[in-house]
């Protein structure tokens, strides 16, 4: 069941303002508020998504889990948007298999600094853990100092608007920073030139999610929070690609089929729109067992940002 939900405002999150965008017998998809952690063991963490869920749905809390709810995936503390919660062990298992087999489709909205020249590009920097002192909880691209065990990562970027702003974990943040276009408000990978340039939040939002489980297709699209009516500092002036068209393409794209070597979620068989789209790249060889095992190990290494 799809539920109406308004875009997140500039106001901080509270235990009452949980926004649910999809609900069925087995799954919930919430529009996570910016700067709210999914869960935490710290006594001083006054607000988490887990506490919001317990407040809104106490009858759905599962005592057999550490936090009361089975989160199917993760979003950074600073990232808002679609997050799926399984309501029982069987549903969690079916969602886990979709993530493990890379059949999940995820799309994000972001405001980035600078003028991106291309209307569409594919970013393919390998990403590894940063072992540099003081940066051990961050990621970095292959070839930079302290980059450990980099793994292939692919981000497909489509420019939607140009405007002015006055005022896998971290994959998008690392890739955009590596291009020289860090995400606005990202204090980890894109520090502003001065404090006045820092907005009230990091401008990264998970706006579309599809998990094709064996029993149901969990699909949710959250409202765009980066609009002038919600943040007067954002002033778009040139429309490059309508967001509605992008959503239509995402919804029409077939789900990847691992049994047939189908397309990966980050490279749908239905081309994403964009003016001046380059010709498609040549077909790649089928993925080997070693490559698959390496990818699954990489997925298992993603962790939440530390509480500190």
């Amino acid at each position: 069941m799809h539920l109406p939900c308004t875009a997140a405002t500039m106001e901080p999150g509270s235990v009452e303002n949980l926004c649910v965008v999809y609900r069925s017998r087995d799954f919930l998809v919430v529009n996570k508020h910016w700067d709210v952690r999914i869960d935490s063991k710290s006594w001083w963490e006054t607000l988490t998504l887990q506490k919001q869920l317990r407040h809104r749905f106490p009858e759905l809390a599962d005592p057999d889990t550490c936090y009361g709810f089975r989160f199917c995936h993760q979003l950074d503390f600073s990232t808002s948007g679609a997050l799926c919660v399984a309501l029982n062990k069987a549903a969690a298992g079916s969602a886990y298999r979709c993530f493990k087999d890379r059949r999940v489709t995820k799309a994000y909205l972001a405001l980035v600094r600078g003028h991106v020249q291309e209307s569409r590009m594919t970013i393919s920097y390998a990403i590894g853990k940063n072992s540099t002192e003081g940066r051990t909880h961050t990621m970095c691209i292959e070839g930079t100092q302290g980059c450990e065990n980099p793994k292939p990562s692919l981000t497909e970027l489509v420019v939607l608007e140009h405007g002015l702003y006055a005022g896998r974990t971290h994959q998008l943040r690392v890739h955009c920073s590596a291009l020289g276009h860090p995400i606005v408000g990202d204090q980890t990978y894109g520090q502003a030139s001065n404090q006045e340039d820092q907005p009230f939040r990091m401008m990264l939002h998970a706006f579309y999610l599809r998990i094709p489980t064996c029993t149901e297709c969990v699909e949710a699209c959250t409202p765009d929070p980066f609009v002038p009516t919600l943040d007067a500092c954002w002033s778009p002036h040139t429309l490059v690609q309508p967001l509605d068209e992008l959503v239509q393409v995402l919804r029409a794209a077939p789900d990847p089929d691992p049994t047939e070597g189908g397309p990966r979620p980050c490279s749908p068989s239905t081309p994403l729109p964009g003016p001046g789209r380059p010709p498609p790249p040549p077909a790649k060889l089928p993925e080997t067992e070693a490559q698959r095992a390496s990818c699954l190990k990489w997925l298992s290494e993603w962790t939440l940002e530390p509480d500190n």
Side-chain angles (χ1 to χ4, degrees), residues 171-212:
Q171 177 177 322
L172 287 174
R173 299 166 66 180
V174 175
H175 274 170
C176 289
S177 179
L179 284 181
H181 298 288
I183 293 173
V184 174
D186 188 346
Q187 298 187 34
T188 301
Y189 298 101
Q191 195 66 265
S193 57
N194 59 71
Q195 193 61 33
E196 292 181 355
D197 290 338
Q198 288 292 357
F200 68 98
R201 59 161 292 181
M202 184 177 73
M203 303 302 184
L204 179 60
H205 176 78
F207 91 102
Y208 179 84
L209 175 68
R210 184 169 72 234
I211 309 174

Side-chain angles (χ1 to χ4, degrees), residues 102-105 208 210 212 217 219 248-257 260 262-271:
R102 294 177 295 159
R103 303 187 66 224
V104 176
T105 300
Y208 179 84
R210 184 169 72 234
C217 181
E219 185 181 45
Q248 291 174 9
V249 171
L250 289 169
R251 285 177 167 163
D255 294 312
D257 186 350
E260 299 178 0
R264 297 175 59 179
C266 56
S267 181
S269 58
T270 303

Side-chain angles (χ1 to χ4, degrees), residues 273-302:
R277 174 178 168 82
K284 295 183 179 180
L285 295 175
E287 183 180 53
T288 66
E289 286 299 319
Q291 289 171 328
R292 178 176 176 80
S294 177
C295 181
L296 293 181
K297 181 177 183 298
W298 177 235
L299 289 175
S300 70
E301 291 176 353
W302 289 126

